[in-house]
Amino acid sequence: VKSFHSVPLRHWELSCCGMTLNSVPLRRVPHKIQKAGAGLGSRTHHRQRRSWVWNQFFVLEEYTGDDPLYVGKLHSDVDKGEGKVKYVLSGEGASSIFTIDENTGDIHAIKRLDREEQAYYTLRAQAVDHDTSRPVEPESEFVIKVQDINDNEPKFLDGPYNARVPEMSPVGTSVVQVVATDADDPTYGNSARVIYSILEGQPYFSVDPKTGVVRTALPNMDREARDQYLLVIQAKDMVGQMGGLSGTTSVTVTLSDVNDNPPRFSRKSYQFSVPESLPVASVVARIKALDSDVGPNAEMEYRIIDGDGLGMFRVLVDKDTQEGLITLQKALDFETKAGYSLRIEASNKNIDPRFLSQGSFSDTASVRLIVENVDEAPVFSSPVSKMVVSEAAKVGTVIGTVSANDPDATNSPIRYSIDRNTDLERFFNIEATTGVISTAKPLDREVNAIHNITILAIESRSAIITVMDINDNAPVFAIEYETILCENAIPGQVIETISAVDKDEPPSGHRFVFSLTAEAAGNMNFTLRDNKDNTASILTKRGGFQRRKQSMYRLPVLIRDSGSPVLSSTNTLSIRVCECDSNGDRQSCGTEAFMLSAGLSTGALIAILACILTLLVLVLLIVTMRRRKKEPLILDEDRDVRENIVRYDDEGGGEEDTEAFDMVALRNLNVVRDNKARRDVTPEVTALYTPRPPPYKAATNNGIFREFIWDRLKEADVDPSAPPYDSLQTYAFEGSGSVAESLSSLESLSTDSEHNYDYLSDWGPRFRKLADLYGQSDSNRL
């Protein structure tokens, strides 16, 4: 028989984790009444009190100590401390998270617990016999609850936020509500109690600390002045107290537009030109009133409220640009009316009554439309002219006149002509200026009774043709620069300022860009600075220039223009090194610099001069040889063999010794020459040329020849064009009157001369003919 009795509540104080927890009520499980007769000899009902003590244990989360965390203790009254009772733990986390001392019943947590992962654990405990493992107490279930600490900051799960609020909203207008959640236990302490505050966004907005509702804090916030705000909202737990954790989120607030701005024209008057030939319904002008609002609040309506063009024009709205389109309703005629005036009003299509107190939401502007004259074709006085002429009319008979006028105000002269496609056989002519039509051929009614010709009337105008310039000339140096560089120049010194010219004439003027060529850009001597005013400066990079080392530099400069396409040219600037005084004035530059300016070295110039001198000598020799007449090998009887006598037994002169003298002067004794002053020092003639007595007896007329020769000798001494005075020239006369008689070899043929001329063969090719004549045997002699 089993009976259960209610056991009154008892309170048990549990020590856990080094801290005393409040007493919690424990409900005893009803004891089992068991009959205890077995082995006792009597059967009496004995109520065995169950002494199994258990409770709801608490353990702090996030324990970081080195030792296992003590949770609590299980104890049974059966356990007398003799070690006969063993405690066994099972359920969630048994052995892996929670352990129990089987002898003492002490429970420990061996791992760090997180309440946000699992808030409580349900376990079962049982007391068993240590030796037999038989239960001494029924199995009981208990809970280990993880006690919360403030280890989680508030988080805005829906952030960041974007919100819109109309501009000009009153103070306190709700914008958006932000919500922060805290993972800590909301039922324990203040770990999850959140307070909101605004970190950025004041003084424009505020936030309710409890609800997180963001509201406007300033009136009249104007979208046109600022249309967006960035707020930073903070949520802090522990009711905002010190030590609480916090989290933030951003709120982007955009002010939406309201129609609080009226349209306004940027100008009060406009003027447009309209050609009179513009077709009807064409847009002649566009005007626009500016509105700071956007969207529907900026939609416009335009209308003509006044002016003399009400019937000629109308105004429409461009839906995309909100412009007013002034369109033409009737054809224009410059000669009838040259201009129109309109007054146009622009107003908002959607008006907000709240802002009507600020004034009218419309604006007006005046528009002046100027009609431009267009060159119109001439107009005939009558569209069709009918004329009658007899077929018997003679050629040139006037049959009628046509008349046309220029409808333009200029009233240009009219020239008439016949469209020859309508008068292929050219039966008619028309006078170009008067329009008089006459016959050009005889007419035959039976062949062609009606002639339908077309008359053309053309305005007579002059035309001016202007040739447009293109960029077809590259810029070059403005002048031929002669740049001087002083030897004492310092680095960075400006030695020349160059400019350029271009034959082209661009509309916007010339713009030249100066630079060194790629090859010259890295030189160590000079650099170029573009002055940005169509000039450039040449500067030295170093000092210590020496004329004896290099007296001339050539610097290639690249000049580009600003045309399309861009043209460029490379111009070489010659820089001459000179010796200068302390003031920078040039002293001397030397001849070497001028020779090098031609681009040649000194050795090359010397070689060229030597070649030129050699050519001159050769030319002189050729001229001299041509002046000499070659003597024939066989003498002519009519030829005087006494023309040229040259003596070669004196010194000096060289080539001058070969100069021949014309015997004509000897024959003409009356020739008188003007004495010429010699340019050099004239030696003493008497000392050098003392006449010696002839070793022979001269003929009676030899004195005349000696006197003539003596005069020629003195004249040669003072002649500036004569050979040098150390050259002895002898003048003598050979002939029948000579004491030495004739020296001609021709006369030796008549003698019994025993002379042997075989040696002539050894004198070379020039004497080969003589050797043939006089050498060898007597049979070969002439």
Side-chain angles (χ1 to χ4, degrees):
V1 178
K2 295 182 180 179
S3 63
F4 295 88
H5 299 274
S6 176
V7 179
L9 294 176
R10 91 171 197 180
H11 289 79
W12 179 59
E13 189 174 89
L14 173 66
S15 177
C16 176
C17 304
M19 59 182 295
T20 302
L21 303 179
N22 294 329
S23 298
V24 294
L26 298 180
R27 180 176 300 276
R28 300 283 290 183
V29 177
H31 283 246
K32 181 175 61 177
I33 307 299
Q34 180 178 347
K35 182 178 180 182
L40 297 178
S42 61
R43 298 181 63 179
T44 59
H45 288 82
H46 177 72
R47 184 175 68 98
Q48 182 179 2
R49 188 182 65 178
R50 183 172 181 265
S51 298
W52 177 244
V53 180
W54 62 280
N55 202 346
Q56 184 180 30
F57 296 102
F58 292 87
V59 59
L60 288 176
E61 65 173 333
E62 305 294 344
Y63 173 71
T64 58
D66 296 333
D67 298 329
L69 177 63
Y70 180 74
V71 178
K73 184 181 182 65
L74 294 178
H75 182 72
S76 175
D77 292 341
V78 178
D79 186 5
K80 303 299 184 180
E82 298 175 350
K84 294 183 180 182
V85 178
K86 182 174 65 174
Y87 298 96
V88 179
L89 189 64
S90 62
E92 292 180 318
S95 300
S96 61
I97 299 177
F98 303 101
T99 60
I100 189 171
D101 190 321
E102 62 180 11
N103 296 320
T104 63
D106 293 333
I107 302 174
H108 290 82
I110 60 176
K111 289 185 179 180
R112 190 172 65 178
L113 302 177
D114 187 356
R115 190 201 70 83
E116 286 70 39
E117 291 183 2
Q118 188 166 345
Y120 61 91
Y121 297 85
T122 301
L123 294 96
R124 296 181 300 276
Q126 191 173 32
V128 300
D129 186 270
H130 193 279
D131 295 332
T132 62
S133 297
R134 295 180 61 183
V136 296
E137 287 282 358
E139 185 181 64
S140 297
E141 187 178 79
F142 66 95
V143 174
I144 297 179
K145 188 174 184 179
V146 182
Q147 192 172 6
D148 182 55
I149 65 172
N150 190 20
D151 61 340
N152 291 277
E153 71 278 3
K155 294 181 179 180
F156 294 91
L157 301 180
D158 297 330
Y161 296 85
N162 289 283
R164 299 178 66 87
V165 64
E167 63 174 330
M168 300 295 178
S169 295
V171 175
T173 301
S174 177
V175 179
V176 68
Q177 183 178 17
V178 297
V179 177
T181 59
D182 196 319
D184 293 323
D185 190 357
T187 63
Y188 179 77
N190 296 323
S191 297
R193 295 183 60 184
V194 176
I195 295 296
Y196 300 95
S197 61
I198 184 168
L199 300 181
E200 293 183 16
Q202 295 174 333
Y204 306 101
F205 299 92
S206 63
V207 63
D208 189 288
K210 293 183 179 181
T211 62
V213 175
V214 178
R215 302 178 184 276
T216 58
L218 286 180
N220 301 326
M221 286 194 293
D222 192 0
R223 184 199 65 84
E224 288 71 37
R226 181 178 178 182
D227 63 346
Q228 199 171 78
Y229 298 83
L230 181 64
L231 284 64
V232 177
I233 306 297
Q234 181 190 65
K236 190 173 184 180
D237 58 16
M238 299 297 292
V239 201
Q241 297 178 1
M242 185 177 296
L245 302 178
S246 63
T248 59
T249 188
S250 64
V251 180
T252 301
V253 180
T254 302
L255 298 183
S256 59
D257 185 62
V258 298
N259 192 9
D260 60 336
N261 293 281
R264 289 290 181 265
F265 284 107
S266 58
R267 293 184 296 174
K268 287 300 181 183
S269 62
Y270 298 85
Q271 181 170 310
F272 301 96
S273 296
V274 185
E276 64 174 333
S277 60
L278 200 66
V280 175
S282 300
V283 176
V284 300
R286 289 174 175 262
I287 60 174
K288 184 177 182 179
L290 303 178
D291 194 329
S292 301
D293 298 322
V294 294
N297 297 320
E299 292 182 358
M300 299 287 178
E301 289 181 339
Y302 296 90
R303 64 190 183 97
I304 301 175
I305 60 176
D306 194 8
D308 57 0
L310 289 173
M312 293 292 296
F313 303 94
R314 64 176 297 190
V315 61
L316 304 175
V317 179
D318 188 327
K319 300 296 184 181
D320 296 328
T321 63
Q322 296 301 313
E323 291 178 308
L325 307 180
I326 302 175
T327 59
L328 183 63
Q329 295 295 102
K330 296 180 181 180
L332 298 172
D333 186 6
F334 172 81
E335 287 71 27
T336 302
K337 189 173 180 60
Y340 296 89
S341 297
L342 303 174
R343 187 166 184 81
I344 298 178
E345 179 188 64
S347 60
N348 276 141
K349 185 176 181 180
N350 304 307
I351 298 176
D352 193 333
R354 294 179 300 169
F355 303 102
L356 287 176
S357 59
Q358 299 180 4
S360 174
F361 275 71
S362 64
D363 194 16
T364 59
S366 298
V367 178
R368 178 67 177 169
L369 299 174
I370 305 299
V371 180
E372 290 183 345
N373 186 26
V374 176
D375 189 12
E376 299 177 81
V379 178
F380 284 98
S381 56
S382 60
V384 179
S385 296
K386 294 183 179 181
M387 302 176 186
V388 178
V389 61
S390 171
E391 65 177 334
K394 297 181 180 180
V395 174
T397 301
V398 176
I399 60 175
T401 303
V402 294
S403 176
N405 59 68
D406 184 7
D408 299 320
T410 56
N411 195 18
S412 301
I414 306 298
R415 295 185 65 85
Y416 302 93
S417 63
I418 297 176
D419 185 357
R420 291 305 175 182
N421 292 324
T422 61
D423 185 22
L424 295 177
E425 297 182 10
R426 296 180 178 269
F427 283 106
F428 306 97
N429 285 333
I430 188 170
E431 212 285 325
T433 57
T434 61
V436 175
I437 302 173
S438 61
T439 59
K441 289 182 179 180
L443 302 176
D444 188 352
R445 190 200 66 82
E446 286 72 26
V447 175
N448 192 354
I450 296 176
H451 295 267
N452 188 1
I453 63 174
T454 300
I455 308 299
L456 303 177
I458 303 173
E459 293 182 28
S460 177
R461 293 198 175 196
S462 61
I464 300 176
I465 302 175
T466 302
V467 180
M468 300 299 294
D469 182 45
I470 63 171
N471 191 32
D472 57 347
N473 292 277
V476 296
F477 277 157
I479 60 174
E480 190 68 27
Y481 291 97
E482 183 181 357
T483 304
I484 302 301
L485 172 63
C486 294
E487 291 181 317
N488 57 0
I490 61 174
Q493 180 177 339
V494 177
I495 61 173
E496 187 67 85
T497 299
I498 59 177
S499 60
V501 293
D502 195 327
K503 294 181 180 180
D504 297 317
E505 295 182 0
S508 58
H510 288 292
R511 174 66 184 94
F512 300 124
V513 178
F514 299 84
S515 64
L516 296 180
T517 62
E519 296 78 6
N523 79 92
M524 302 303 295
N525 300 315
F526 307 98
T527 185
L528 182 143
R529 181 183 65 205
D530 195 332
N531 298 325
K532 308 299 183 182
D533 58 353
N534 290 344
T535 65
S537 299
I538 307 298
L539 300 90
T540 57
K541 276 190 176 180
R542 63 176 181 90
F545 292 93
Q546 296 182 6
R547 182 179 42 162
R548 58 183 178 84
K549 290 185 177 180
Q550 185 171 352
S551 58
M552 178 68 68
Y553 294 90
R554 293 190 173 276
L555 189 65
V557 178
L558 181 65
I559 309 176
R560 296 190 299 271
D561 60 19
S562 58
S564 178
V566 176
L567 297 181
S568 63
S569 66
T570 300
N571 302 259
T572 302
L573 182 68
S574 299
I575 303 174
R576 196 149 50 105
V577 182
C578 297
E579 180 182 358
C580 304
D581 56 16
S582 58
N583 296 326
D585 297 329
R586 178 177 59 179
Q587 297 294 323
S588 63
C589 298
T591 58
E592 184 182 1
F594 291 99
M595 290 189 295
L596 290 179
S597 64
L600 299 174
S601 62
T602 305
L605 288 174
I606 293 175
I608 292 174
L609 292 176
C611 293
I612 294 174
L613 183 60
T614 304
L615 290 175
L616 290 176
V617 172
L618 291 176
V619 170
L620 290 175
L621 288 176
I622 292 171
V623 172
T624 303
M625 295 300 293
R626 285 184 176 180
R627 290 180 58 186
R628 295 181 180 180
K629 295 182 179 179
K630 297 182 180 180
E631 297 292 336
L633 296 177
I634 301 177
L635 300 178
D636 191 290
E637 293 180 356
D638 298 332
R639 185 176 182 83
D640 193 347
V641 298
R642 299 172 295 174
E643 285 185 352
N644 297 302
I645 302 175
V646 181
R647 183 175 177 178
Y648 287 92
D649 60 349
D650 57 342
E651 295 182 359
E655 291 87 351
E656 303 292 346
D657 294 342
T658 63
E659 184 173 348
F661 294 90
D662 192 355
M663 286 298 295
V664 177
L666 295 176
R667 292 196 182 99
N668 190 1
L669 302 181
N670 296 324
V671 174
V672 180
R673 297 185 181 180
D674 296 334
N675 293 331
K676 299 179 182 180
R678 192 179 179 92
R679 289 176 292 179
D680 56 355
V681 180
T682 304
E684 291 294 322
V685 178
T686 57
L688 292 176
Y689 305 102
T690 303
R692 292 177 291 179
Y696 54 87
K697 183 180 178 179
T700 57
N701 59 347
N702 284 348
I704 297 175
F705 290 104
R706 285 198 302 270
E707 184 180 355
F708 176 77
I709 293 173
W710 183 253
D711 291 337
R712 299 279 80 77
L713 180 62
K714 290 191 297 181
E715 184 177 320
D717 288 336
V718 298
D719 188 357
S721 61
Y725 46 77
D726 60 351
S727 175
L728 181 60
Q729 299 185 9
T730 303
Y731 294 86
F733 183 80
E734 181 184 2
S736 58
S738 175
V739 178
E741 298 181 350
S742 176
L743 299 178
S744 174
S745 61
L746 298 177
E747 296 183 0
S748 63
L749 297 177
S750 62
T751 64
D752 297 328
S753 175
E754 297 296 330
H755 287 233
N756 186 2
Y757 296 100
D758 293 338
Y759 60 86
L760 293 176
S761 300
D762 301 331
W763 286 10
R766 297 183 180 181
F767 298 92
R768 183 173 299 168
K769 191 66 176 178
L770 289 177
D772 293 340
L773 294 173
Y774 299 103
Q776 301 175 359
S777 63
D778 294 340
S779 61
N780 294 330
R781 299 178 182 176
L782 294 176

